[in-house]
């Protein structure tokens, strides 16, 4: 098993292993526009940097599905991306209809038909079909911070997804709490696996970090869950690995620029609208990955997205 590991900055103290306080808007904006400080590479056998689709020996980007043959999708987005075209709801509250005693998520089934309480914002863009490196058969890359995720997306002509872009791609046009519907289980995605206690010292020490990540690892290779797909054709948006998103792009004056969406393989809240805002942009951990977004390439004129100002709760 090859685990793709990126190395970021680990700050002592346990809100997991690294917890960085939220930065001010000015410092976040300045930092986001500057290259991330290079960090030493992990001793991973193969860390996934920029994908190389020109390599004929490389695995296919995505398995065949009903989206692959859609001519509108293929014209609008590169082959490794899905087209998202729909209205983003800026104010939607999931309501739990049936509680659960399970640790972590707490809701077994959500209420259907909850209305959007904000003005819908029409969107049209592309999103990676899979978590980075977006290559079927490989492991999703983890242990990257927000700055590194942004740089890697930029290195292939894409961008780190806005939080609103990620949310819409996950919810689909019906604004589902999970990509598959309203009921937590049974789930087609990699969620609700038992958590394994981690060793803080082993995670901090670069000499033992990779072995510790391997011991904790319960993510599945990209493409392992073909039924874990959103209505727009994006895979594994709930579970597998947590994903960085760009809250600063949605809200330029936020003090919480870096957000995590979708949860990971453990028993946590993996809903589409979940956003963890409490980790700063230098945070890294063994289950934190990302995926990228991009503008469409078919020449269709698209209005710029409206800001999404969502500061009511630290966690959604």
């Amino acid at each position: 098993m090859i685990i793709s590991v990126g190395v970021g900055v680990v700050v002592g103290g346990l809100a997991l292993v690294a917890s960085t306080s939220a930065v001010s808007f000015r410092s976040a904006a300045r930092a986001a526009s500057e290259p991330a400080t290079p960090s030493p590479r992990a001793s991973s056998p193969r860390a996934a940097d920029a994908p190389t689709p020109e390599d004929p020996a490389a695995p296919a980007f995505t398995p065949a599905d009903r989206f692959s043959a859609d001519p509108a999708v293929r014209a609008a987005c590169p082959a490794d991306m899905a087209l998202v075209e729909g209205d983003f709801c800026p104010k939607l509250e999931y309501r739990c209809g049936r509680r659960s005693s399970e640790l972590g998520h707490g809701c077994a089934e959500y209420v259907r038909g909850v209305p959007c309480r904000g003005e819908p914002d029409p969107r049209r863009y592309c999103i990676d079909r899979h978590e980075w490196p977006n290559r079927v058969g490989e492991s999703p890359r983890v242990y990257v911070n927000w700055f590194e995720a942004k740089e890697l997306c930029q290195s292939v002509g894409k961008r780190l997804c806005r939080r609103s872009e990620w949310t819409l791609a996950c919810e689909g046009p019906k604004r589902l709490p999970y990509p598959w519907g309203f009921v937590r289980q049974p789930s087609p995605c990699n969620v609700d696996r038992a958590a394994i206690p981690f060793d803080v010292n082993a995670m901090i020490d670069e000499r033992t970090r990779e072995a510790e990540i391997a011991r904790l690892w319960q993510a599945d290779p990209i493409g392992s869950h073909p039924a874990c797909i959103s209505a727009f054709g994006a895979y594994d948006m709930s579970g597998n690995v947590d994903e960085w998103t760009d809250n600063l792009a949605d809200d330029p004056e936020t003090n919480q620029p870096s957000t995590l969406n979708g949860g990971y393989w453990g028993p946590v809240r993996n809903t589409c609208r979940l956003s963890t805002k409490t980790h700063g942009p230098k945070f890294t951990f063994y289950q934190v990955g990302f995926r990228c977004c991009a503008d469409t390439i078919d020449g269709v004129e698209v209005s710029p997205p409206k800001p999404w100002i969502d500061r009511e709760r630290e966690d959604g």
Side-chain angles (χ1 to χ4, degrees), residues 1 131 135-140 217 219-225 236 240:
M1 175 181 66
E131 298 151 332
R135 295 170 67 82
V136 171
E138 296 191 15
S139 293
W217 192 249
D220 291 324
I222 292 168
S224 297
H225 299 273
D236 293 315
N240 216 39

Side-chain angles (χ1 to χ4, degrees), residues 109-278:
E109 183 174 1
Y110 286 92
V111 174
R112 293 159 174 78
V114 176
C116 176
R117 295 190 292 126
E119 182 181 354
D121 183 16
R123 302 289 185 94
R124 191 175 192 270
Y125 56 93
C126 305
I127 189 169
D128 280 351
R129 309 288 300 278
H130 304 280
E131 298 151 332
W132 184 280
N134 199 18
R135 295 170 67 82
V136 171
E138 296 191 15
S139 293
R141 179 167 175 174
V142 294
Y143 220 87
V144 290
N145 67 38
W146 185 75
F147 295 116
E148 292 168 331
K150 286 173 68 70
E151 279 199 336
L152 286 167
C153 287
Q154 291 167 2
S155 74
V156 293
K158 301 177 183 179
R159 63 175 177 270
L160 186 64
C161 296
R162 290 171 175 256
R163 186 162 69 101
S164 59
E165 290 176 324
W166 195 102
T167 301
L168 175 57
C170 181
E171 289 181 335
K174 294 183 178 180
R175 302 189 181 116
L176 302 174
Y178 297 111
W180 65 88
F182 296 89
V183 180
R184 175 76 178 200
Q185 289 289 358
S187 166
C189 302
N190 182 11
V191 298
D192 290 345
R193 292 186 174 175
I196 301 173
F198 61 87
D199 184 328
V200 175
N201 294 327
M203 192 69 71
I204 292 175
D205 191 334
E206 290 187 9
R207 297 169 298 179
T208 56
R209 179 182 300 147
E210 192 166 346
E212 177 64 3
I213 291 175
R215 185 182 71 84
L216 299 168
W217 192 249
Q218 296 186 70
D220 291 324
I222 292 168
S224 297
H225 299 273
C228 182
I229 184 172
S230 78
F232 290 118
Y235 292 86
D236 293 315
M237 300 205 76
S238 283
N240 216 39
V241 300
D242 224 342
E243 300 184 26
W244 281 122
T245 52
D246 191 351
N247 193 41
L248 186 64
D250 274 331
D251 181 1
E253 296 189 12
T254 183
N255 285 329
Q256 297 172 315
S258 51
T259 36
L260 288 166
N261 283 80
Y264 70 117
W265 61 76
V268 297
R269 292 180 300 152
N270 305 87
T271 57
C272 291
R273 202 157 278 248
L274 172 139
S275 293
T276 300
K277 302 179 183 178
T278 51

Side-chain angles (χ1 to χ4, degrees), residues 10 16 21 36 51 69 81 92 107 180 205 211 230 233 242 247 251 310:
V10 177
L16 298 181
S21 61
M81 304 189 83
L92 180 70
C107 186
W180 65 88
D205 191 334
S230 78
D242 224 342
N247 193 41
D251 181 1
D310 174 40

